[in-house]
Amino acid sequence: MNYVAVIGTGIMAAGIAAGFVAQSIPVVILGRSKDKADACLDKALTLAQKIGIVGTYASQSQDAIKTEQKTAVLESWSNWDGCDWVIETVAENLALKQEIFQYLDERVPAHIPIGSNSSGFPISKIASGLKTANRMMGAHYFMPAEVVPLVEVVMGEKTELVFAEQACSLYKSIGKKPVLVKKDIPGFLANRIQHALMREALSLVQEGIASPEDIDDAVRYSFGFRYAAVGPMTQKEISGWDGMANAAKEIYPSLSNITTLPPKLVQLMSEGKTGMKSGEGFRKWTPEEIQQVSDSYSRRLKAAFDVLNIE
């Protein structure tokens, strides 16, 4: 492998770059300014060390590893020779992403696949009207990008399968778990499933049926606990679809099908209660509690990752 180009300098860019550096694959971080790209690289190197470096970089110092990476302003970078993958991860602004993809369409050789880490905008819209849209696709990571294994490779209207499969092969080679989404639908794959669960959870809170804390426990200590071992489809293959089907006849008609946010959540948002970052969501958070939960979350993610790797 030659190198991977990461476009963007935020927290996702650092995590994405770290995943490649940790596998001894050099990166080029391209941003709006050289200073921001340099800062992003420093953070990526720190994250790579934290998750563990394998391969040729494992025996090198951080300074030595850093010399093998590059940073630049996007518009000043022209050495695309040896680039195997371009991943855009700038702010969630459609016009900005379209501008960047138009730039890449004209300057990146047509055999190099290009992905967007957009979590909401369809790649078909980002790459609309571009002459090389056939090599463009979604490549959606989840935070923290250097830890969470999943990458959703999303085919747009013009994406050719060979490029999508090339991206999937790349991610498999660095220990990620790519899933191929064959149609460019809102929310892709994981977020659609996640939002279906969240809609029901918020509806249960809205109706006073359960507290947020009890919903967390119900998920974590039942099916959520099982999902670290196998996914929902395999779990039902194990337990039997007939039991699920019988329960569905009773449950499906009563499930939430709301298309707007529940009033309780709307009220919270209007009061600026957006969760830990504001000090309050459905409950108040002290700085000490935020730190404790964040540290515990990181440890549990690591433990879950170890479970996923059990053969």
Side-chain angles (χ1 to χ4, degrees):
M1 183 124 191
N2 295 299
Y3 79 86
V4 167
V6 179
I7 300 174
T9 57
I11 187 169
M12 288 299 289
I16 290 170
F20 288 103
V21 173
Q23 294 290 322
S24 296
I25 295 173
V27 299
V28 174
I29 297 179
L30 304 172
R32 290 176 293 180
S33 75
K34 184 70 161 57
D35 288 345
K36 287 185 176 181
D38 288 341
C40 182
L41 176 58
D42 287 340
K43 184 164 188 177
L45 293 174
T46 299
L47 292 173
Q49 293 281 2
K50 186 175 180 179
I51 62 177
I53 296 177
V54 299
T56 57
Y57 289 170
S59 60
Q60 298 181 25
S61 68
Q62 186 158 321
D63 286 342
I65 296 172
K66 186 174 182 178
T67 62
E68 298 193 31
Q69 321 307 315
K70 292 181 173 61
T71 62
V73 174
L74 173 59
E75 289 78 8
S76 70
W77 184 258
S78 60
N79 184 19
W80 295 105
D81 293 338
C83 180
D84 290 322
W85 173 239
V86 180
I87 173 71
E88 167 272 314
T89 179
V90 302
E92 280 292 287
N93 179 302
L94 179 59
L96 175 60
K97 290 180 183 290
Q98 288 174 327
E99 179 183 343
I100 289 173
F101 267 72
Q102 183 174 5
Y103 179 87
L104 298 174
D105 181 55
E106 297 170 354
R107 288 166 177 80
V108 178
H111 68 279
I112 300 173
I114 301 173
S116 171
N117 183 47
S118 175
S119 59
F121 299 121
I123 190 64
S124 298
K125 187 173 290 187
I126 294 172
S128 177
L130 300 182
K131 63 179 181 294
T132 65
N134 65 306
R135 46 82 175 259
M136 298 174 179
M137 68 203 78
H140 181 224
Y141 282 74
F142 292 78
M143 291 183 66
E146 71 279 6
V147 175
V148 180
L150 186 71
V151 180
E152 295 177 307
V153 176
V154 186
M155 296 180 64
E157 295 172 0
K158 300 290 182 63
T159 311
E160 292 182 9
L161 181 60
V162 63
F163 287 109
E165 290 178 338
Q166 186 176 334
C168 287
S169 295
L170 167 61
Y171 282 117
K172 288 177 182 177
S173 74
I174 65 168
K176 289 292 187 182
K177 193 69 175 179
V179 292
L180 181 60
V181 185
K182 300 175 183 177
K183 188 175 181 180
D184 201 4
I185 57 175
F188 316 139
L189 184 59
N191 271 339
R192 289 182 72 89
I193 298 169
Q194 182 174 237
H195 276 269
L197 183 151
M198 187 55 66
R199 177 168 67 175
E200 184 62 31
L202 288 171
S203 294
L204 292 169
V205 172
Q206 177 66 40
E207 298 301 320
I209 295 170
S211 68
E213 294 79 10
D214 283 341
I215 288 173
D216 277 352
D217 286 346
V219 172
R220 289 185 59 214
Y221 293 99
S222 62
F223 62 86
F225 175 75
R226 297 189 306 217
Y227 287 170
V230 295
M233 304 299 287
T234 300
Q235 197 282 319
K236 291 308 175 190
E237 289 284 337
I238 294 170
S239 64
W241 288 103
D242 50 342
M244 177 269 174
N246 288 331
K249 294 174 184 177
E250 183 71 23
I251 296 171
Y252 277 15
S254 67
L255 290 175
S256 173
N257 62 359
I258 58 174
T259 57
T260 58
L261 294 173
K264 282 189 178 181
L265 181 59
V266 173
Q267 182 179 349
L268 281 181
M269 302 283 285
S270 68
E271 295 171 354
K273 298 175 182 178
T274 56
M276 287 185 178
K277 62 184 178 181
S278 66
E280 186 173 359
F282 278 101
R283 54 156 289 187
K284 292 183 178 179
W285 295 94
T286 66
E288 293 77 18
E289 288 173 329
I290 292 172
Q291 187 63 54
Q292 181 183 8
V293 171
S294 297
D295 290 345
S296 176
Y297 181 48
S298 296
R299 290 194 301 271
R300 288 168 177 168
L301 279 179
K302 175 63 167 60
F305 185 78
D306 291 340
V307 169
L308 289 173
N309 284 331
I310 295 174
E311 292 297 333

